[in-house]
Amino acid sequence: MGNLKCLRTLSFFIVGQDAGEQIKELGCLNQLSGELDIGNLENVRDQEEARSAKLAIRAKINGLGFHWSDRSDSEVNHHNEEEVLEGLQPHENLKSLKIEGFSGKKFPSWMSSHFDNLIQINLNWCKKCEQVPTLGHLPCLKSLEINAMGDVTCIGVEFYGMRSNVLFPALRTLTFSRMKKLVEWKDALEVTSARVVFPCLEESTIYNCEQLKGAPCHFPFLQKLNIDGVNNTALESISSNLTTLKSAYISRVSGHTFAPGQLFCTSIQSLRISDCGELSYIWDTSQPLISLEELKIDNCPKLRCFPRIHGLRCLHIYECGFEVLTQLQLCTSLSELSISGCHDLKSLPDLQEFHSLAQLAIYGCHNLKSIPDLGELCFLTRLAIQNCSNITRLPEGSLKCLKRLEIGGYCGELDVFPSLNNFIQHSHMTLQYLRLRGWAKLNYLPGEIQQFTALETLHIEDFEGIETLPEWLGNLSSLKKLKIWRCSNLMYLPTTTTRLIKLEELIIRHCFKLQERCVEGSGAEWLKIAHIPKIDMLR
């Protein structure tokens, strides 16, 4: 490699121990520029050999990645790796730095130098390091990610440094993840003489830091916050003084019985709360929220209510403990409402005043016995009511713009599918997608389907009693895609399938009898589908 004197670009160099593979080969490549990743650094013997790469004089290399491969602790010489990384000191023009798999206990002294052009730092799986490096003085650093530094227990003054009145002056994104022993992240304004910290920080992510209890509260420009797997006290501290937050994702927060009210600052537009098993209520602010447009709540089984939100546009609720949704009455600006897996939900409020509603989806709410009639929801384009085992009838309404309908999976005692006449009356010329889910007792498809003259996609699933599809299927002249799933007794397709000249795709899943009869060239049903360009059958 060292003989390639004119080489300008080398994206990755794997260090070996044989002649021609050693790191000193890089020292001969005087024209190298751009980004370079160096792998298998465990094959570098010592600091002197590391210096033979001459990275300190490579002014044209603006991005460096230092990688050690994954090894057992018995194979690691911690002191040697510290010496090697010390010898890999780069030129001060460096713009991005990545260190991965480093097993030393401390970072090299050069990381505290004046890398005034450094924009991005990624420190991954440096699992034996006991302290994070000093980085607060770097004037151009915009992105910092520290991942799986498992022996760090505290982030304190050593992280910020003592050189400046403004710490992390340009930082835009900050991530701490998989720091299993981290207990405290100290506030710079309390442990240093700095007057300003994180003045430009827009996004912060803290992931899988389960022991973290103490955290800073000064984030004057933070707009996006992602918290996943921390203690509730850390969340309360971080969110205690937020005034510019626009988006927040909160997940797996221990000791989290309610969402801190500070999350609902006047600027927040999007909030997702997920997997908070102890969460029983979301802070109900004294004033109705008017900025929040999107709220998603997933897998919070003890949650019973949410705050007053007048301007909400999108609401998703999944596997929560709601029995009634009283506050939903205030959300008349909704354009998208999705409720799924809420097994305790017994009723829905009247939705006829939700004139902006474009999508309504109800899935897997087994205590729900009925859906209120929808009136004239003139913007509703998608309606899904599926797998609600106590439903016996479909809601009525003048849905003149409906394009997508997903229904079925209702009360298993029903011998007939609920009437589709209301949808035919108002949507027979607009409906393009229909998904029907059956149950064990049904042995036919509802004949009303053929009156949806604009239908382009038909999805049939769980009609276990059907042996043959009806001949009228050939009347769906606009059909482009046909999906048949889990119809275990289905054996026969209609002869009229050949009339579906626009049909481009047939997908059959877990219909074993039918799939055997549709084998290309030899199956009894093959000639009925041979004209379809794309046929996909998965057992």
Side-chain angles (χ1 to χ4, degrees):
M1 181 67 76
N3 293 328
L4 303 176
K5 305 292 185 182
C6 296
L7 190 65
R8 295 176 182 270
T9 302
L10 179 63
S11 59
F12 210 101
F13 181 78
I14 304 296
V15 179
Q17 296 178 345
D18 297 333
E21 298 176 352
Q22 298 170 6
I23 198 167
K24 66 181 181 181
E25 300 294 316
L26 295 175
C28 303
L29 307 179
N30 297 324
Q31 303 301 315
L32 279 185
S33 62
E35 297 184 357
L36 169 63
D37 281 280
I38 307 174
N40 287 12
L41 282 168
E42 65 275 9
N43 290 324
V44 181
R45 289 192 303 271
D46 50 34
Q47 184 174 148
E48 182 179 355
E49 185 177 355
R51 284 177 177 162
S52 70
K54 299 181 180 178
L55 296 178
I57 61 172
R58 295 286 183 257
K60 294 180 180 179
I61 294 180
N62 53 43
L64 275 173
F66 298 136
H67 305 264
W68 282 260
S69 59
D70 190 23
R71 294 146 293 146
S72 65
D73 286 343
S74 62
E75 298 175 292
V76 174
N77 185 329
H78 304 292
H79 178 72
N80 176 71
E81 294 197 8
E82 292 172 9
E83 292 296 309
V84 167
L85 189 54
E86 190 72 52
L88 292 172
Q89 178 173 353
H91 193 277
E92 290 185 351
N93 284 347
L94 198 69
K95 292 183 178 180
S96 70
L97 173 66
K98 182 174 185 178
I99 301 175
E100 187 171 67
F102 172 64
S103 291
K105 293 186 177 182
K106 61 180 181 179
F107 286 101
S109 59
W110 53 258
M111 285 195 71
S112 299
S113 300
H114 289 281
F115 286 93
D116 289 349
N117 296 316
L118 200 55
I119 296 173
Q120 180 175 351
I121 297 177
N122 296 79
L123 306 176
N124 294 326
W125 297 100
C126 303
K127 53 188 179 182
K128 293 299 180 181
C129 287
E130 298 174 348
Q131 285 189 338
V132 294
T134 301
L135 303 172
H137 62 285
L138 298 175
C140 293
L141 186 65
K142 293 183 178 180
S143 175
L144 173 60
E145 179 179 352
I146 299 179
N147 173 48
M149 204 173 289
D151 276 358
V152 173
T153 59
C154 178
I155 296 173
V157 65
E158 76 287 344
F159 179 53
Y160 302 108
M162 303 292 289
R163 303 182 188 177
S164 175
N165 286 327
V166 181
L167 298 173
F168 293 101
L171 197 66
R172 298 289 193 273
T173 64
L174 172 63
T175 299
F176 294 127
S177 62
R178 297 184 180 90
M179 300 181 72
K180 301 293 185 180
K181 296 182 181 179
L182 181 63
V183 175
E184 186 174 17
W185 173 17
K186 293 186 177 180
D187 196 314
L189 300 187
E190 296 178 0
V191 297
T192 73
S193 59
R195 292 197 295 266
V196 179
V197 62
F198 302 128
C200 297
L201 189 67
E202 297 176 354
E203 180 175 355
S204 182
T205 298
I206 305 175
Y207 172 71
N208 272 16
C209 300
E210 291 89 350
Q211 303 299 319
L212 182 62
K213 294 180 175 63
C217 61
H218 294 95
F219 301 97
F221 195 58
L222 195 68
Q223 298 181 46
K224 187 174 183 179
L225 176 64
N226 303 302
I227 300 286
D228 186 352
V230 301
N231 189 279
N232 189 46
T233 57
L235 171 61
E236 289 182 355
S237 179
I238 291 169
S239 62
S240 63
N241 195 31
L242 298 177
T243 58
T244 57
L245 194 67
K246 292 182 179 179
S247 171
Y249 170 59
I250 309 299
S251 178
R252 297 185 303 127
V253 177
S254 59
H256 185 49
T257 58
F258 64 91
Q262 298 88 343
L263 283 175
F264 298 96
C265 58
T266 56
S267 61
I268 193 164
Q269 297 172 0
S270 176
L271 173 63
R272 181 180 176 188
I273 301 176
S274 176
D275 297 296
C276 295
E278 298 302 313
L279 184 69
S280 58
Y281 71 99
I282 296 177
W283 192 276
D284 197 357
T285 57
S286 58
Q287 297 295 325
L289 293 169
I290 57 175
S291 63
L292 190 63
E293 297 182 357
E294 181 180 60
L295 176 61
K296 296 183 178 181
I297 311 171
D298 306 332
N299 196 25
C300 299
K302 293 186 179 181
L303 187 61
R304 294 290 186 269
C305 63
F306 58 89
R308 293 172 290 168
I309 309 169
H310 280 304
L312 198 64
R313 305 291 297 171
C314 175
L315 175 61
H316 287 224
I317 301 172
Y318 174 70
E319 291 192 356
C320 292
F322 297 104
E323 292 185 5
V324 294
L325 291 168
T326 307
Q327 296 286 53
L328 190 61
Q329 285 291 155
L330 299 173
C331 304
T332 54
S333 298
L334 278 176
S335 62
E336 186 174 335
L337 173 60
S338 176
I339 305 171
S340 59
C342 295
H343 305 305
D344 296 329
L345 186 65
K346 295 178 180 179
S347 65
L348 291 175
D350 188 356
L351 300 176
Q352 295 191 43
E353 298 300 317
F354 287 55
H355 299 300
S356 300
L357 199 62
Q359 297 188 49
L360 173 61
I362 313 292
Y363 294 107
C365 297
H366 296 297
N367 265 324
L368 194 62
K369 295 183 178 180
S370 65
I371 308 291
D373 289 340
L374 301 175
E376 296 188 12
L377 299 182
C378 57
F379 291 106
L380 194 70
T381 59
R382 180 194 172 211
L383 175 63
I385 305 169
Q386 281 206 327
N387 197 28
C388 298
S389 57
N390 271 309
I391 292 286
T392 57
R393 64 176 290 271
L394 292 168
E396 295 191 357
S398 179
L399 309 178
K400 297 180 180 179
C401 293
L402 197 64
K403 294 183 178 180
R404 186 180 179 108
L405 180 62
E406 303 166 48
I407 50 177
Y410 302 141
C411 179
E413 298 303 313
L414 289 176
D415 295 318
V416 295
F417 203 93
S419 173
L420 300 176
N421 285 335
N422 178 72
F423 299 108
I424 293 166
Q425 179 183 352
H426 299 289
S427 311
H428 68 280
M429 295 182 64
T430 61
L431 198 71
Q432 297 175 354
Y433 180 103
L434 176 61
R435 182 172 183 173
L436 285 178
R437 185 170 185 174
W439 51 90
K441 275 194 173 185
L442 295 183
N443 58 8
Y444 74 99
L445 289 180
E448 301 103 311
I449 295 174
Q450 61 188 304
Q451 298 185 49
F452 292 116
T453 57
L455 201 63
E456 295 181 357
T457 299
L458 175 60
H459 185 159
I460 303 164
E461 61 183 274
D462 294 327
F463 282 85
E464 298 178 19
I466 291 182
E467 294 184 2
T468 181
L469 293 181
E471 290 295 312
W472 54 252
L473 202 68
N475 297 334
L476 300 175
S477 58
S478 298
L479 201 64
K480 295 180 180 179
K481 182 181 290 189
L482 176 60
K483 300 181 181 181
I484 308 170
W485 290 5
R486 296 187 302 272
C487 296
S488 57
N489 288 303
L490 183 60
M491 297 177 62
Y492 306 101
L493 297 171
T495 58
T496 54
T497 305
T498 55
R499 287 165 31 195
L500 299 175
I501 58 175
K502 293 185 179 180
L503 192 60
E504 300 171 353
E505 187 173 1
L506 172 64
I507 301 174
I508 303 175
R509 294 280 191 273
H510 308 294
C511 303
F512 304 114
K513 292 180 180 179
L514 180 61
Q515 286 166 262
E516 289 177 2
R517 295 174 60 83
C518 288
V519 174
E520 182 175 354
S522 61
E525 302 296 300
W526 170 248
L527 291 180
K528 297 177 183 178
I529 62 174
H531 66 289
I532 303 173
K534 184 177 180 181
I535 299 173
D536 185 356
M537 292 190 289
L538 180 67
R539 292 180 176 272

